[in-house]
PDB file of all heavy atoms in Angstrom:
ATOM      1  N   THR C   1       4.736  -9.487   2.023  1.00  0.00           N
ATOM      2  CA  THR C   1       4.051  -8.594   2.837  1.00  0.00           C
ATOM      3  C   THR C   1       2.664  -8.120   2.253  1.00  0.00           C
ATOM      4  O   THR C   1       2.598  -7.791   1.051  1.00  0.00           O
ATOM      5  CB  THR C   1       4.899  -7.360   3.157  1.00  0.00           C
ATOM      6  OG1 THR C   1       6.011  -7.694   3.842  1.00  0.00           O
ATOM      7  CG2 THR C   1       4.055  -6.295   3.966  1.00  0.00           C
ATOM      8  N   VAL C   2       1.592  -8.221   3.015  1.00  0.00           N
ATOM      9  CA  VAL C   2       0.256  -7.718   2.642  1.00  0.00           C
ATOM     10  C   VAL C   2      -0.094  -6.554   3.553  1.00  0.00           C
ATOM     11  O   VAL C   2      -0.135  -6.802   4.777  1.00  0.00           O
ATOM     12  CB  VAL C   2      -0.764  -8.851   2.639  1.00  0.00           C
ATOM     13  CG1 VAL C   2      -2.130  -8.302   2.377  1.00  0.00           C
ATOM     14  CG2 VAL C   2      -0.398  -9.968   1.694  1.00  0.00           C
ATOM     15  N   PHE C   3      -0.412  -5.430   3.008  1.00  0.00           N
ATOM     16  CA  PHE C   3      -0.824  -4.256   3.782  1.00  0.00           C
ATOM     17  C   PHE C   3      -2.314  -4.256   3.808  1.00  0.00           C
ATOM     18  O   PHE C   3      -3.016  -4.304   2.702  1.00  0.00           O
ATOM     19  CB  PHE C   3      -0.316  -2.979   3.130  1.00  0.00           C
ATOM     20  CG  PHE C   3       1.234  -2.810   3.158  1.00  0.00           C
ATOM     21  CD1 PHE C   3       1.981  -2.985   2.068  1.00  0.00           C
ATOM     22  CD2 PHE C   3       1.813  -2.475   4.357  1.00  0.00           C
ATOM     23  CE1 PHE C   3       3.316  -2.905   2.039  1.00  0.00           C
ATOM     24  CE2 PHE C   3       3.206  -2.335   4.384  1.00  0.00           C
ATOM     25  CZ  PHE C   3       3.969  -2.566   3.259  1.00  0.00           C
ATOM     26  N   ILE C   4      -2.879  -4.186   4.966  1.00  0.00           N
ATOM     27  CA  ILE C   4      -4.322  -4.011   5.119  1.00  0.00           C
ATOM     28  C   ILE C   4      -4.629  -2.539   5.328  1.00  0.00           C
ATOM     29  O   ILE C   4      -4.243  -1.941   6.328  1.00  0.00           O
ATOM     30  CB  ILE C   4      -4.888  -4.828   6.281  1.00  0.00           C
ATOM     31  CG1 ILE C   4      -4.487  -6.272   6.168  1.00  0.00           C
ATOM     32  CG2 ILE C   4      -6.413  -4.698   6.392  1.00  0.00           C
ATOM     33  CD1 ILE C   4      -4.769  -7.126   7.393  1.00  0.00           C
ATOM     34  N   ILE C   5      -5.281  -1.912   4.350  1.00  0.00           N
ATOM     35  CA  ILE C   5      -5.477  -0.461   4.366  1.00  0.00           C
ATOM     36  C   ILE C   5      -6.906  -0.163   4.051  1.00  0.00           C
ATOM     37  O   ILE C   5      -7.661  -0.961   3.675  1.00  0.00           O
ATOM     38  CB  ILE C   5      -4.534   0.298   3.361  1.00  0.00           C
ATOM     39  CG1 ILE C   5      -4.857  -0.195   1.893  1.00  0.00           C
ATOM     40  CG2 ILE C   5      -3.081   0.042   3.676  1.00  0.00           C
ATOM     41  CD1 ILE C   5      -4.025   0.476   0.829  1.00  0.00           C
ATOM     42  N   ARG C   6      -7.236   1.139   4.203  1.00  0.00           N
ATOM     43  CA  ARG C   6      -8.609   1.658   3.728  1.00  0.00           C
ATOM     44  C   ARG C   6      -8.496   2.186   2.354  1.00  0.00           C
ATOM     45  O   ARG C   6      -7.524   2.848   2.012  1.00  0.00           O
ATOM     46  CB  ARG C   6      -9.096   2.644   4.757  1.00  0.00           C
ATOM     47  CG  ARG C   6      -9.475   2.022   6.111  1.00  0.00           C
ATOM     48  CD  ARG C   6      -9.742   3.013   7.170  1.00  0.00           C
ATOM     49  NE  ARG C   6     -10.915   3.846   6.960  1.00  0.00           N
ATOM     50  CZ  ARG C   6     -11.456   4.577   7.893  1.00  0.00           C
ATOM     51  NH1 ARG C   6     -10.960   4.666   9.083  1.00  0.00           N
ATOM     52  NH2 ARG C   6     -12.523   5.224   7.613  1.00  0.00           N
ATOM     53  N   ARG C   7      -9.490   1.773   1.582  1.00  0.00           N
ATOM     54  CA  ARG C   7      -9.424   2.073   0.150  1.00  0.00           C
ATOM     55  C   ARG C   7      -9.289   3.569  -0.176  1.00  0.00           C
ATOM     56  O   ARG C   7      -8.660   3.951  -1.088  1.00  0.00           O
ATOM     57  CB  ARG C   7     -10.665   1.520  -0.548  1.00  0.00           C
ATOM     58  CG  ARG C   7     -10.525   1.418  -2.041  1.00  0.00           C
ATOM     59  CD  ARG C   7     -11.666   0.760  -2.731  1.00  0.00           C
ATOM     60  NE  ARG C   7     -11.849  -0.625  -2.273  1.00  0.00           N
ATOM     61  CZ  ARG C   7     -11.288  -1.660  -2.904  1.00  0.00           C
ATOM     62  NH1 ARG C   7     -10.462  -1.442  -3.860  1.00  0.00           N
ATOM     63  NH2 ARG C   7     -11.459  -2.842  -2.393  1.00  0.00           N
ATOM     64  N   GLU C   8      -9.807   4.374   0.738  1.00  0.00           N
ATOM     65  CA  GLU C   8      -9.799   5.839   0.397  1.00  0.00           C
ATOM     66  C   GLU C   8      -8.426   6.480   0.442  1.00  0.00           C
ATOM     67  O   GLU C   8      -8.175   7.538  -0.054  1.00  0.00           O
ATOM     68  CB  GLU C   8     -10.759   6.606   1.388  1.00  0.00           C
ATOM     69  CG  GLU C   8     -10.413   6.462   2.812  1.00  0.00           C
ATOM     70  CD  GLU C   8     -11.336   5.423   3.444  1.00  0.00           C
ATOM     71  OE1 GLU C   8     -11.687   4.353   2.839  1.00  0.00           O
ATOM     72  OE2 GLU C   8     -11.779   5.628   4.660  1.00  0.00           O
ATOM     73  N   PHE C   9      -7.442   5.770   1.124  1.00  0.00           N
ATOM     74  CA  PHE C   9      -6.108   6.368   0.998  1.00  0.00           C
ATOM     75  C   PHE C   9      -5.154   5.378   0.400  1.00  0.00           C
ATOM     76  O   PHE C   9      -3.898   5.422   0.557  1.00  0.00           O
ATOM     77  CB  PHE C   9      -5.574   6.855   2.382  1.00  0.00           C
ATOM     78  CG  PHE C   9      -5.342   5.813   3.388  1.00  0.00           C
ATOM     79  CD1 PHE C   9      -4.080   5.210   3.562  1.00  0.00           C
ATOM     80  CD2 PHE C   9      -6.269   5.510   4.360  1.00  0.00           C
ATOM     81  CE1 PHE C   9      -3.784   4.247   4.537  1.00  0.00           C
ATOM     82  CE2 PHE C   9      -6.020   4.554   5.406  1.00  0.00           C
ATOM     83  CZ  PHE C   9      -4.746   3.910   5.422  1.00  0.00           C
ATOM     84  N   GLU C  10      -5.702   4.565  -0.518  1.00  0.00           N
ATOM     85  CA  GLU C  10      -4.856   3.586  -1.289  1.00  0.00           C
ATOM     86  C   GLU C  10      -3.800   4.251  -2.146  1.00  0.00           C
ATOM     87  O   GLU C  10      -2.591   3.923  -2.153  1.00  0.00           O
ATOM     88  CB  GLU C  10      -5.708   2.703  -2.149  1.00  0.00           C
ATOM     89  CG  GLU C  10      -4.886   1.737  -3.095  1.00  0.00           C
ATOM     90  CD  GLU C  10      -5.726   1.001  -4.082  1.00  0.00           C
ATOM     91  OE1 GLU C  10      -6.995   1.242  -4.109  1.00  0.00           O
ATOM     92  OE2 GLU C  10      -5.135   0.147  -4.752  1.00  0.00           O
ATOM     93  N   ARG C  11      -4.194   5.393  -2.858  1.00  0.00           N
ATOM     94  CA  ARG C  11      -3.231   6.008  -3.739  1.00  0.00           C
ATOM     95  C   ARG C  11      -2.116   6.599  -3.014  1.00  0.00           C
ATOM     96  O   ARG C  11      -0.909   6.452  -3.407  1.00  0.00           O
ATOM     97  CB  ARG C  11      -4.049   7.057  -4.560  1.00  0.00           C
ATOM     98  CG  ARG C  11      -3.118   7.852  -5.591  1.00  0.00           C
ATOM     99  CD  ARG C  11      -3.967   8.811  -6.356  1.00  0.00           C
ATOM    100  NE  ARG C  11      -3.052   9.526  -7.254  1.00  0.00           N
ATOM    101  CZ  ARG C  11      -3.470  10.558  -8.163  1.00  0.00           C
ATOM    102  NH1 ARG C  11      -4.773  10.842  -8.141  1.00  0.00           N
ATOM    103  NH2 ARG C  11      -2.649  11.104  -8.881  1.00  0.00           N
ATOM    104  N   GLU C  12      -2.403   7.302  -1.851  1.00  0.00           N
ATOM    105  CA  GLU C  12      -1.373   7.940  -1.062  1.00  0.00           C
ATOM    106  C   GLU C  12      -0.484   6.904  -0.490  1.00  0.00           C
ATOM    107  O   GLU C  12       0.782   7.035  -0.463  1.00  0.00           O
ATOM    108  CB  GLU C  12      -2.033   8.765  -0.008  1.00  0.00           C
ATOM    109  CG  GLU C  12      -1.006   9.535   0.964  1.00  0.00           C
ATOM    110  CD  GLU C  12      -1.645  10.209   2.061  1.00  0.00           C
ATOM    111  OE1 GLU C  12      -2.937  10.072   2.211  1.00  0.00           O
ATOM    112  OE2 GLU C  12      -0.966  10.989   2.766  1.00  0.00           O
ATOM    113  N   PHE C  13      -1.051   5.815  -0.026  1.00  0.00           N
ATOM    114  CA  PHE C  13      -0.321   4.718   0.595  1.00  0.00           C
ATOM    115  C   PHE C  13       0.640   4.074  -0.422  1.00  0.00           C
ATOM    116  O   PHE C  13       1.827   3.824  -0.041  1.00  0.00           O
ATOM    117  CB  PHE C  13      -1.235   3.693   1.200  1.00  0.00           C
ATOM    118  CG  PHE C  13      -0.528   2.613   2.042  1.00  0.00           C
ATOM    119  CD1 PHE C  13      -0.463   2.856   3.447  1.00  0.00           C
ATOM    120  CD2 PHE C  13       0.048   1.533   1.564  1.00  0.00           C
ATOM    121  CE1 PHE C  13       0.172   1.901   4.239  1.00  0.00           C
ATOM    122  CE2 PHE C  13       0.700   0.596   2.299  1.00  0.00           C
ATOM    123  CZ  PHE C  13       0.723   0.785   3.724  1.00  0.00           C
ATOM    124  N   ARG C  14       0.181   3.792  -1.550  1.00  0.00           N
ATOM    125  CA  ARG C  14       1.006   3.180  -2.581  1.00  0.00           C
ATOM    126  C   ARG C  14       2.155   4.094  -2.963  1.00  0.00           C
ATOM    127  O   ARG C  14       3.341   3.598  -3.158  1.00  0.00           O
ATOM    128  CB  ARG C  14       0.235   2.778  -3.821  1.00  0.00           C
ATOM    129  CG  ARG C  14      -0.689   1.591  -3.650  1.00  0.00           C
ATOM    130  CD  ARG C  14      -1.476   1.311  -4.899  1.00  0.00           C
ATOM    131  NE  ARG C  14      -2.339   0.201  -4.880  1.00  0.00           N
ATOM    132  CZ  ARG C  14      -1.983  -1.054  -5.323  1.00  0.00           C
ATOM    133  NH1 ARG C  14      -0.817  -1.212  -5.833  1.00  0.00           N
ATOM    134  NH2 ARG C  14      -2.884  -2.063  -5.228  1.00  0.00           N
ATOM    135  N   GLN C  15       1.920   5.355  -3.045  1.00  0.00           N
ATOM    136  CA  GLN C  15       2.955   6.314  -3.476  1.00  0.00           C
ATOM    137  C   GLN C  15       3.988   6.451  -2.376  1.00  0.00           C
ATOM    138  O   GLN C  15       5.205   6.485  -2.649  1.00  0.00           O
ATOM    139  CB  GLN C  15       2.354   7.687  -3.822  1.00  0.00           C
ATOM    140  CG  GLN C  15       1.541   7.683  -5.099  1.00  0.00           C
ATOM    141  CD  GLN C  15       0.903   9.066  -5.308  1.00  0.00           C
ATOM    142  OE1 GLN C  15       0.731   9.865  -4.455  1.00  0.00           O
ATOM    143  NE2 GLN C  15       0.469   9.299  -6.555  1.00  0.00           N
ATOM    144  N   ILE C  16       3.567   6.573  -1.114  1.00  0.00           N
ATOM    145  CA  ILE C  16       4.497   6.892  -0.014  1.00  0.00           C
ATOM    146  C   ILE C  16       5.182   5.639   0.498  1.00  0.00           C
ATOM    147  O   ILE C  16       6.318   5.624   0.879  1.00  0.00           O
ATOM    148  CB  ILE C  16       3.772   7.590   1.184  1.00  0.00           C
ATOM    149  CG1 ILE C  16       3.234   8.941   0.618  1.00  0.00           C
ATOM    150  CG2 ILE C  16       4.673   7.813   2.331  1.00  0.00           C
ATOM    151  CD1 ILE C  16       2.419   9.743   1.599  1.00  0.00           C
ATOM    152  N   VAL C  17       4.351   4.466   0.594  1.00  0.00           N
ATOM    153  CA  VAL C  17       4.909   3.300   1.212  1.00  0.00           C
ATOM    154  C   VAL C  17       5.123   2.159   0.192  1.00  0.00           C
ATOM    155  O   VAL C  17       6.208   1.543   0.121  1.00  0.00           O
ATOM    156  CB  VAL C  17       3.879   2.778   2.324  1.00  0.00           C
ATOM    157  CG1 VAL C  17       4.448   1.556   2.983  1.00  0.00           C
ATOM    158  CG2 VAL C  17       3.717   3.908   3.345  1.00  0.00           C
ATOM    159  N   GLY C  18       4.075   1.885  -0.570  1.00  0.00           N
ATOM    160  CA  GLY C  18       4.069   0.676  -1.399  1.00  0.00           C
ATOM    161  C   GLY C  18       5.209   0.519  -2.366  1.00  0.00           C
ATOM    162  O   GLY C  18       5.878  -0.443  -2.465  1.00  0.00           O
ATOM    163  N   ARG C  19       5.489   1.635  -3.092  1.00  0.00           N
ATOM    164  CA  ARG C  19       6.458   1.607  -4.108  1.00  0.00           C
ATOM    165  C   ARG C  19       7.825   1.341  -3.542  1.00  0.00           C
ATOM    166  O   ARG C  19       8.651   0.614  -4.136  1.00  0.00           O
ATOM    167  CB  ARG C  19       6.502   2.917  -4.956  1.00  0.00           C
ATOM    168  CG  ARG C  19       5.372   3.047  -5.898  1.00  0.00           C
ATOM    169  CD  ARG C  19       5.518   4.244  -6.835  1.00  0.00           C
ATOM    170  NE  ARG C  19       5.603   5.461  -6.088  1.00  0.00           N
ATOM    171  CZ  ARG C  19       5.631   6.666  -6.744  1.00  0.00           C
ATOM    172  NH1 ARG C  19       5.675   6.734  -8.060  1.00  0.00           N
ATOM    173  NH2 ARG C  19       5.722   7.815  -6.066  1.00  0.00           N
ATOM    174  N   ARG C  20       8.120   1.904  -2.384  1.00  0.00           N
ATOM    175  CA  ARG C  20       9.428   1.659  -1.708  1.00  0.00           C
ATOM    176  C   ARG C  20       9.526   0.206  -1.247  1.00  0.00           C
ATOM    177  O   ARG C  20      10.596  -0.421  -1.363  1.00  0.00           O
ATOM    178  CB  ARG C  20       9.587   2.675  -0.559  1.00  0.00           C
ATOM    179  CG  ARG C  20      10.933   2.584   0.089  1.00  0.00           C
ATOM    180  CD  ARG C  20      11.170   3.761   0.941  1.00  0.00           C
ATOM    181  NE  ARG C  20      10.355   3.839   2.143  1.00  0.00           N
ATOM    182  CZ  ARG C  20       9.352   4.638   2.382  1.00  0.00           C
ATOM    183  NH1 ARG C  20       9.003   5.527   1.389  1.00  0.00           N
ATOM    184  NH2 ARG C  20       8.629   4.619   3.456  1.00  0.00           N
ATOM    185  N   MET C  21       8.437  -0.317  -0.609  1.00  0.00           N
ATOM    186  CA  MET C  21       8.461  -1.650  -0.115  1.00  0.00           C
ATOM    187  C   MET C  21       8.540  -2.750  -1.195  1.00  0.00           C
ATOM    188  O   MET C  21       9.193  -3.812  -0.998  1.00  0.00           O
ATOM    189  CB  MET C  21       7.209  -1.915   0.706  1.00  0.00           C
ATOM    190  CG  MET C  21       7.018  -0.962   1.881  1.00  0.00           C
ATOM    191  SD  MET C  21       8.409  -0.936   3.051  1.00  0.00           S
ATOM    192  CE  MET C  21       7.830   0.335   4.220  1.00  0.00           C
ATOM    193  N   GLU C  22       8.002  -2.392  -2.372  1.00  0.00           N
ATOM    194  CA  GLU C  22       8.016  -3.381  -3.453  1.00  0.00           C
ATOM    195  C   GLU C  22       9.413  -3.632  -3.987  1.00  0.00           C
ATOM    196  O   GLU C  22       9.712  -4.626  -4.635  1.00  0.00           O
ATOM    197  CB  GLU C  22       7.167  -2.865  -4.605  1.00  0.00           C
ATOM    198  CG  GLU C  22       5.684  -2.963  -4.324  1.00  0.00           C
ATOM    199  CD  GLU C  22       4.765  -2.117  -5.257  1.00  0.00           C
ATOM    200  OE1 GLU C  22       5.342  -1.559  -6.227  1.00  0.00           O
ATOM    201  OE2 GLU C  22       3.620  -2.024  -5.011  1.00  0.00           O
ATOM    202  N   ASN C  23      10.386  -2.742  -3.645  1.00  0.00           N
ATOM    203  CA  ASN C  23      11.769  -2.965  -3.996  1.00  0.00           C
ATOM    204  C   ASN C  23      12.420  -3.937  -3.003  1.00  0.00           C
ATOM    205  O   ASN C  23      13.573  -4.432  -3.255  1.00  0.00           O
ATOM    206  CB  ASN C  23      12.509  -1.627  -3.910  1.00  0.00           C
ATOM    207  CG  ASN C  23      12.122  -0.716  -5.083  1.00  0.00           C
ATOM    208  OD1 ASN C  23      11.767  -1.110  -6.151  1.00  0.00           O
ATOM    209  ND2 ASN C  23      12.088   0.615  -4.755  1.00  0.00           N
ATOM    210  N   ILE C  24      11.725  -4.273  -1.872  1.00  0.00           N
ATOM    211  CA  ILE C  24      12.360  -5.115  -0.838  1.00  0.00           C
ATOM    212  C   ILE C  24      11.846  -6.552  -0.987  1.00  0.00           C
ATOM    213  O   ILE C  24      12.612  -7.491  -0.880  1.00  0.00           O
ATOM    214  CB  ILE C  24      12.077  -4.529   0.511  1.00  0.00           C
ATOM    215  CG1 ILE C  24      12.671  -3.183   0.689  1.00  0.00           C
ATOM    216  CG2 ILE C  24      12.618  -5.450   1.660  1.00  0.00           C
ATOM    217  CD1 ILE C  24      12.381  -2.498   2.048  1.00  0.00           C
ATOM    218  N   MET C  25      10.446  -6.609  -1.192  1.00  0.00           N
ATOM    219  CA  MET C  25       9.893  -7.991  -1.228  1.00  0.00           C
ATOM    220  C   MET C  25       8.592  -7.912  -1.981  1.00  0.00           C
ATOM    221  O   MET C  25       8.065  -6.796  -2.284  1.00  0.00           O
ATOM    222  CB  MET C  25       9.721  -8.632   0.229  1.00  0.00           C
ATOM    223  CG  MET C  25       8.774  -7.834   1.096  1.00  0.00           C
ATOM    224  SD  MET C  25       8.915  -8.353   2.828  1.00  0.00           S
ATOM    225  CE  MET C  25       8.717 -10.137   2.766  1.00  0.00           C
ATOM    226  N   ASP C  26       7.964  -9.079  -2.200  1.00  0.00           N
ATOM    227  CA  ASP C  26       6.644  -9.177  -2.851  1.00  0.00           C
ATOM    228  C   ASP C  26       5.603  -8.515  -1.938  1.00  0.00           C
ATOM    229  O   ASP C  26       5.531  -8.703  -0.722  1.00  0.00           O
ATOM    230  CB  ASP C  26       6.354 -10.691  -3.028  1.00  0.00           C
ATOM    231  CG  ASP C  26       4.994 -10.830  -3.856  1.00  0.00           C
ATOM    232  OD1 ASP C  26       4.637  -9.950  -4.673  1.00  0.00           O
ATOM    233  OD2 ASP C  26       4.378 -11.848  -3.604  1.00  0.00           O
ATOM    234  N   VAL C  27       4.726  -7.625  -2.507  1.00  0.00           N
ATOM    235  CA  VAL C  27       3.766  -6.864  -1.752  1.00  0.00           C
ATOM    236  C   VAL C  27       2.417  -7.118  -2.325  1.00  0.00           C
ATOM    237  O   VAL C  27       2.167  -7.159  -3.524  1.00  0.00           O
ATOM    238  CB  VAL C  27       4.162  -5.369  -1.781  1.00  0.00           C
ATOM    239  CG1 VAL C  27       3.054  -4.499  -1.280  1.00  0.00           C
ATOM    240  CG2 VAL C  27       5.451  -5.070  -1.024  1.00  0.00           C
ATOM    241  N   GLY C  28       1.453  -7.155  -1.419  1.00  0.00           N
ATOM    242  CA  GLY C  28       0.026  -7.228  -1.809  1.00  0.00           C
ATOM    243  C   GLY C  28      -0.795  -6.276  -0.963  1.00  0.00           C
ATOM    244  O   GLY C  28      -0.287  -5.731   0.088  1.00  0.00           O
ATOM    245  N   TYR C  29      -2.033  -6.014  -1.363  1.00  0.00           N
ATOM    246  CA  TYR C  29      -2.914  -5.043  -0.632  1.00  0.00           C
ATOM    247  C   TYR C  29      -4.327  -5.744  -0.378  1.00  0.00           C
ATOM    248  O   TYR C  29      -4.845  -6.366  -1.248  1.00  0.00           O
ATOM    249  CB  TYR C  29      -3.100  -3.804  -1.386  1.00  0.00           C
ATOM    250  CG  TYR C  29      -1.862  -3.061  -1.686  1.00  0.00           C
ATOM    251  CD1 TYR C  29      -1.069  -3.335  -2.809  1.00  0.00           C
ATOM    252  CD2 TYR C  29      -1.326  -2.137  -0.753  1.00  0.00           C
ATOM    253  CE1 TYR C  29       0.145  -2.622  -3.086  1.00  0.00           C
ATOM    254  CE2 TYR C  29      -0.157  -1.489  -1.026  1.00  0.00           C
ATOM    255  CZ  TYR C  29       0.557  -1.728  -2.142  1.00  0.00           C
ATOM    256  OH  TYR C  29       1.773  -1.081  -2.371  1.00  0.00           O
ATOM    257  N   ALA C  30      -4.801  -5.480   0.772  1.00  0.00           N
ATOM    258  CA  ALA C  30      -6.181  -5.842   1.199  1.00  0.00           C
ATOM    259  C   ALA C  30      -6.851  -4.634   1.756  1.00  0.00           C
ATOM    260  O   ALA C  30      -6.176  -3.732   2.270  1.00  0.00           O
ATOM    261  CB  ALA C  30      -6.146  -6.984   2.202  1.00  0.00           C
ATOM    262  N   PHE C  31      -8.145  -4.608   1.586  1.00  0.00           N
ATOM    263  CA  PHE C  31      -8.895  -3.335   1.969  1.00  0.00           C
ATOM    264  C   PHE C  31      -9.954  -3.571   3.035  1.00  0.00           C
ATOM    265  O   PHE C  31     -10.803  -4.447   2.914  1.00  0.00           O
ATOM    266  CB  PHE C  31      -9.549  -2.801   0.711  1.00  0.00           C
ATOM    267  CG  PHE C  31      -8.581  -2.465  -0.393  1.00  0.00           C
ATOM    268  CD1 PHE C  31      -8.444  -3.341  -1.486  1.00  0.00           C
ATOM    269  CD2 PHE C  31      -7.831  -1.309  -0.337  1.00  0.00           C
ATOM    270  CE1 PHE C  31      -7.486  -3.076  -2.455  1.00  0.00           C
ATOM    271  CE2 PHE C  31      -6.909  -1.007  -1.297  1.00  0.00           C
ATOM    272  CZ  PHE C  31      -6.738  -1.873  -2.375  1.00  0.00           C
ATOM    273  N   GLN C  32      -9.776  -2.827   4.135  1.00  0.00           N
ATOM    274  CA  GLN C  32     -10.768  -2.860   5.205  1.00  0.00           C
ATOM    275  C   GLN C  32     -11.683  -1.677   5.024  1.00  0.00           C
ATOM    276  O   GLN C  32     -11.441  -0.531   5.525  1.00  0.00           O
ATOM    277  CB  GLN C  32     -10.051  -2.764   6.553  1.00  0.00           C
ATOM    278  CG  GLN C  32     -10.983  -2.941   7.771  1.00  0.00           C
ATOM    279  CD  GLN C  32     -10.243  -2.983   9.062  1.00  0.00           C
ATOM    280  OE1 GLN C  32      -9.064  -2.858   9.133  1.00  0.00           O
ATOM    281  NE2 GLN C  32     -11.001  -3.101  10.109  1.00  0.00           N
TER     282      GLN C  32
END
């Protein structure tokens, strides 16, 4: 899964969403 996010809320997104999703499958990030 690759999440396309805005860089200004990367930290919040990783904390709330990313860490939990990384337990399910391989995760990457792209920035719009």
Side-chain angles (χ1 to χ4, degrees):
T1 294
V2 175
F3 294 105
I4 307 171
I5 62 176
R6 289 168 68 166
R7 196 176 296 273
E8 56 262 39
F9 67 89
E10 176 187 3
R11 181 177 178 181
E12 179 184 10
F13 190 94
R14 284 179 179 265
Q15 289 177 341
I16 298 176
V17 180
R19 287 191 298 184
R20 186 167 67 252
M21 303 302 179
E22 288 165 7
N23 293 326
I24 300 175
M25 65 193 305
D26 184 31
V27 169
Y29 299 90
F31 301 100
Q32 187 176 359

